[in-house]
Structures are given as structure tokens and as C-alpha cells.
Amino acid sequence: MLSQSVLLLNQNYEPLKICDVKKAIILIYLGKAEAIENDSGWVRSLHYRMPLTLVVRLVRYARAPKRRILLNRKNLLIRDKHTCQYCGRKNPPLTVDHVIPRQFGGKDTWENLVIACLSCNNKKANRTPEQADMKLLSVPKKPNHFFYFQHFIGIRHERWRPYLFLD
């Protein structure tokens, strides 16, 4: 029960991290945080009783470093939802494509890499989408820190959804 996951929010309700119930209780007890969402259970000690918390918010704003999401094939597949960004197909094999090819100065960046099916990647070849007369379904961009929580940490409790900006 004390190892259950708790969503820790900054003072401005921005998700910071996931901690366990024990850490959340300590933060609440010391007056550093307040419970926002409670579960149905209770945590008891000899002289103290408090509801089991699901979401905790810090009382004071904490400067937190932005999470760095690694640029790799797995994260590109997650960002592009395992979908070819040219035709919309989801069937493998899927490849990583440079929107602006390396020979034209294209870099390995979030904004220049997309997921493409093998046939679209071969059709585009070593050309830009305009030269190949192909359109991107969405503009590639670097994921933000909410992406980190939504896709890597996951939604462990349905009541976390509003705080992860999923509703």
C-alpha cells in the first residue's frame, strides 16, 4: 500500500514526477504539500490517520529541470503513433525518414525525422517531400514534458487524467 504511485504536482498544477505514498505522506505531514485527490483507503499510525492520496500538490513552486526525451526510433514511433506520416498506414515495416535529406543539410532532429512506411520512404527517396510530390500528415515537432508523462510514465489512475491534460 505504501508503494502505490502518487502523482506529484508543482504549485501551478504542472506534473513533476511520480512518487510513492510514503513520500507523499511525508510531504503532507511536513506541510510541503497538500492532497488534491484521495483514494478510498486510509493510512494509519498510532496517533495519526490520513486518507490514501492519489495526487499531491506542492505548496511552494519548485524549479524543476525539463525532462530530456531521447531522440531515438522508439520515441519517434511513439510520437508518430506507429503511423506513416505520408500515407497514414500503420502496417510494418516502418522506417525513420529525414524530411530534408542529409545530402541537403538535413539534421537528425525531432523536427526533421518522421516515421514512414517502406514504400513511402522508397518513393520519396533522397528528395524533399515537395520534390517527391508528397505531403506530411502532421508537422514533426519535439515532444514536450507532458508527452513524457502521457507516454512513458503512463496513466496509472484514471483520476490522474485531468492533471496530465488528457481530458
Side-chain angles (χ1 to χ4, degrees):
M1 182 160 91
L2 291 179
S3 63
Q4 181 178 318
S5 298
V6 176
L7 179 63
L8 179 62
L9 305 174
N10 212 337
Q11 183 189 25
N12 62 356
Y13 288 87
E14 178 182 30
L16 276 181
K17 69 180 217 171
I18 307 299
C19 65
D20 57 12
V21 172
K22 186 177 177 182
K23 176 74 173 174
I25 290 170
I26 292 168
L27 288 171
I28 293 168
Y29 185 76
L30 294 175
K32 294 182 178 187
E34 62 180 342
I36 302 295
E37 292 274 344
N38 293 324
D39 205 359
S40 58
W42 292 88
V43 177
R44 294 178 181 90
S45 73
L46 197 56
H47 302 288
Y48 197 71
R49 181 180 111 153
M50 72 180 338
L52 194 60
T53 57
L54 288 175
V55 181
V56 174
R57 183 179 77 102
L58 292 177
V59 174
R60 300 188 73 193
Y61 183 80
R63 295 189 96 185
K66 296 292 181 201
R67 283 170 183 63
R68 189 169 163 261
I69 301 171
L70 295 176
L71 176 61
N72 57 31
R73 178 182 164 80
K74 177 185 160 201
N75 292 344
L76 284 168
L77 282 164
I78 293 169
R79 181 197 68 183
D80 292 345
K81 299 177 179 93
H82 292 78
T83 305
C84 174
Q85 294 302 294
Y86 296 107
C87 69
R89 278 187 272 165
K90 291 181 177 266
N91 55 331
L94 296 172
T95 61
V96 176
D97 178 55
H98 286 79
V99 177
I100 299 171
R102 287 183 185 164
Q103 82 177 46
F104 298 131
K107 305 280 187 218
D108 290 340
T109 62
W110 284 102
E111 294 80 11
N112 192 46
L113 294 173
V114 294
I115 296 299
C117 66
L118 195 57
S119 61
C120 286
N121 202 348
N122 288 334
K123 179 183 172 188
K124 182 178 166 285
N126 222 9
R127 302 177 288 177
T128 64
E130 293 79 23
Q131 291 170 336
D133 197 30
M134 298 172 75
K135 277 194 160 268
L136 283 167
L137 297 177
S138 62
V139 177
K141 61 183 180 180
K142 182 178 183 178
N144 60 22
H145 61 283
F146 295 115
F147 177 88
Y148 172 81
F149 274 94
Q150 293 167 354
H151 296 284
F152 296 107
I153 301 295
I155 304 160
R156 298 186 187 164
H157 298 283
E158 209 44 45
R159 290 171 48 195
W160 286 8
R161 293 181 72 80
Y163 304 102
L164 298 176
F165 302 97
L166 295 171
D167 282 343

